[in-house]
């Protein structure tokens, strides 16, 4: 649904339901997201408007009886995306790439990177079946491949967009990443995929990408993104999210070290109009003022009315709305450069 209705994450929610009850919701959301990203006006008509990045290894991470399930991605990868690609004319890519350690260290501390890689090694070699990286996040057989492929796909998407191979990218991977802070895993997230992409853009392409905006509409605050943007005047972070709710961060008073952080917390009773107003009247005008060279989006669809892990009541058209508006701003101020990475969304019908 995410791709159909507006953003990749909606497709994720439908994927999850698809495994349980059918594929109707996920299929719809994915189609909307893909349609929006693939058909939004492009400043360069000759460019591929959208490329979807994923990898089947991202389905290997599986914790029993856990809402962050491979089924969120399986149906999209196997059944939804291939025919949509033909219908909408967007590209598909399955990069054969893992991040280098120094690429992880651009965002994460040596302690976090080393302890995580050691956990991966112990599980891979059969020394243990599971290691908790934090209270909600486990390393089990398959976790290493899923995490590293997700980060690698994000890095490749960034390169392809900046080098003009595709105008926009949707990175459809799991587990998510936006709760992972520089020093720790958190909330199902091991490494922060989208921040690895931000740092990669700024460090590998300093002449093209100096200023970056990271926008997050997951129902949970993207605390990892905020933490990694806080001290950098060339990074702008903005989020809408349900509050109070895990991770219990993202207050209006969080402004960043350079007035480069903007949070718009929403109550569980917030309406679609409240969500749209937050983006239209508060966040996107600030993005225009910041004038980023590239825009990144943490796309989470767990603010959907059917999601089991939150209490907001958004619908597919709300995700389509915010995706379309962000694409317009990217065209106006960032040469169209836009990379979207899937985050949360745990209701299969809503994702589809």
């Amino acid at each position: 649904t995410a791709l159909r209705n507006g953003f990749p994450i909606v497709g994720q929610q439908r994927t999850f339901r698809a495994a349980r009850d059918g594929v109707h919701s996920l299929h719809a959301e994915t189609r909307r997201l893909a349609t929006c990203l693939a058909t939004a006006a492009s400043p360069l008509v000759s460019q591929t408007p959208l490329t979807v990045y994923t990898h089947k290894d991202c389905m290997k991470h599986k914790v029993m009886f856990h809402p962050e399930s491979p089924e969120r991605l399986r149906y999209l990868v196997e059944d939804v995306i291939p025919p949509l690609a033909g219908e909408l004319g967007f590209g598909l890519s399955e990069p054969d790439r893992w991040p280098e350690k120094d690429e992880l260290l651009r965002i994460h501390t040596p302690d976090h990177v080393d302890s995580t890689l050691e956990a991966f090694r112990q599980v891979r070699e059969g020394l243990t079946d599971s290691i908790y990286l934090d209270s909600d996040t486990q390393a089990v057989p398959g976790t290493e491949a899923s995490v590293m492929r997700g980060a690698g796909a994000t890095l490749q998407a960034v390169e392809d967009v900046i080098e003009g191979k595709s105008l926009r990218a949707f990175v459809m991977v799991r587990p998510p990443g936006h709760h992972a802070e520089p020093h720790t895993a958190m909330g199902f997230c091991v490494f922060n995929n989208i921040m690895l992409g931000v740092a990669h853009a700024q460090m590998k392409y300093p002449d093209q990408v100096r200023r970056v905006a990271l926008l997050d509409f997951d129902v949970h605050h993207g605390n990892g993104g905020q933490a990694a943007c806080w001290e950098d005047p060339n990074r702008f972070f903005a989020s809408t999210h349900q509050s109070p709710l895990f991770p219990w961060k993202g207050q209006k008073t969080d402004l960043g070290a350079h007035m480069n952080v903007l949070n718009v917390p929403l109550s569980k009773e917030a309406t679609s109009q409240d969500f749209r107003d937050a983006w239209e009247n508060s966040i996107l005008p600030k993005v225009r003022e910041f004038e980023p060279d590239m825009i990144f989006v943490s796309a989470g669809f767990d603010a959907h009315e059917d999601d089991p892990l939150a209490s907001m009541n958004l619908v597919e058209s709300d995700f389509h709305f915010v995706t379309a508006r962000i694409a317009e701003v990217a065209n106006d101020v960032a040469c169209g450069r836009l990379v979207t990475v899937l985050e949360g969304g745990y209701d299969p019908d809503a994702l589809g």
Side-chain angles (χ1 to χ4, degrees):
T1 308
L3 289 178
R4 284 192 172 184
N5 295 332
F7 251 95
I9 291 190
V10 176
Q12 180 184 353
Q13 289 179 323
R14 293 197 172 177
T15 299
F16 199 52
R17 284 187 184 174
R20 185 188 64 205
D21 302 323
V23 299
H24 302 296
S25 296
L26 176 62
H27 187 256
E29 293 295 350
T30 302
R31 181 177 185 79
R32 179 168 290 184
L33 172 61
T35 302
C36 178
L37 292 175
T39 60
S42 167
L44 296 176
V45 177
S46 61
Q47 278 185 307
T48 301
L50 171 68
T51 302
V52 174
Y53 296 78
T54 190
H55 201 286
K56 291 182 179 178
D57 282 357
C58 292
M59 292 182 282
K60 290 184 176 181
H61 171 69
K62 184 175 183 179
V63 178
M64 296 300 293
F65 310 112
H66 198 285
E68 207 293 290
S69 160
E71 300 308 323
R72 299 173 65 225
L73 191 59
R74 187 182 312 281
Y75 177 66
L76 289 176
V77 170
E78 296 179 354
D79 297 323
V80 174
I81 295 301
L84 272 181
E87 177 184 342
L88 299 174
F90 60 77
L92 291 175
S93 179
E94 194 172 11
D96 183 15
R97 179 171 183 170
W98 286 30
E100 300 293 335
K101 184 176 179 179
D102 67 327
E103 292 171 332
L104 299 174
L105 289 171
R106 290 169 177 167
I107 292 299
H108 296 289
T109 63
D111 284 348
H112 176 45
V113 172
D114 289 343
S115 63
T116 301
L117 296 182
E118 174 61 17
F120 288 164
R121 184 193 67 80
Q122 292 184 29
V123 173
R124 183 193 331 121
E125 295 180 2
L127 302 178
T128 182
D129 291 332
S130 173
I131 294 178
Y132 275 88
L133 304 176
D134 93 313
S135 59
D136 297 314
T137 313
Q138 288 177 258
V140 298
T143 301
E144 179 180 22
S146 294
V147 168
M148 300 300 267
R149 289 292 189 187
T154 305
L155 297 176
Q156 189 62 52
V158 167
E159 292 182 7
D160 289 351
V161 168
I162 296 173
E163 294 176 9
K165 298 174 183 177
S166 182
L167 179 65
R168 307 180 185 97
F170 170 34
V171 185
M172 194 174 64
V173 296
R174 60 168 293 276
H178 75 149
H179 292 311
E181 297 196 344
H183 66 287
T184 186
M186 185 186 296
F188 315 162
C189 304
V190 179
F191 294 134
N192 197 313
N193 294 323
I194 200 161
M195 281 309 310
L196 294 175
V198 167
H200 190 55
Q202 291 178 310
M203 295 192 71
K204 184 169 183 176
Y205 304 95
D207 293 335
Q208 294 113 302
V209 180
R210 185 173 67 91
R211 294 165 69 82
V212 170
L214 171 55
L215 311 179
D216 190 323
F217 59 76
D218 192 287
V219 79
H220 302 96
H221 180 251
N223 55 291
Q226 175 172 299
C229 290
W230 190 273
E231 296 287 347
D232 191 332
N234 291 315
R235 295 174 181 172
F236 174 81
F237 173 84
S239 170
T240 54
H241 48 277
Q242 182 180 324
S243 181
L245 190 67
F246 178 89
W248 320 110
K249 298 184 179 183
Q251 303 305 310
K252 288 183 178 180
T253 52
D254 294 345
L255 302 176
H258 306 277
M259 299 297 290
N260 57 326
V261 168
L262 174 61
N263 287 300
V264 185
L266 300 172
S267 72
K268 65 180 181 180
E269 292 86 13
T271 64
S272 292
Q273 193 60 52
D274 294 330
F275 173 79
R276 295 185 184 207
D277 286 346
W279 285 95
E280 191 80 58
N281 301 324
S282 296
I283 294 176
L284 293 181
K286 292 295 184 181
V287 176
R288 289 182 181 276
E289 290 179 14
F290 187 74
E291 295 185 331
D293 301 305
M294 190 167 182
I295 295 178
F296 288 76
V297 178
S298 282
F301 296 95
D302 36 9
H304 190 277
E305 61 184 353
D306 293 333
D307 195 274
L309 298 190
S311 304
M312 288 187 65
N313 294 294
L314 301 187
V315 295
E316 288 86 346
S317 60
D318 296 319
F319 298 110
H320 182 254
F321 170 88
V322 70
T323 302
R325 292 295 186 273
I326 292 172
E328 290 174 3
V329 174
N331 284 347
D332 291 344
V333 303
C335 300
R337 297 185 188 119
L338 177 61
V339 173
T340 299
V341 179
L342 181 64
E343 302 290 359
Y346 306 96
D347 178 79
D349 290 340
L351 279 179

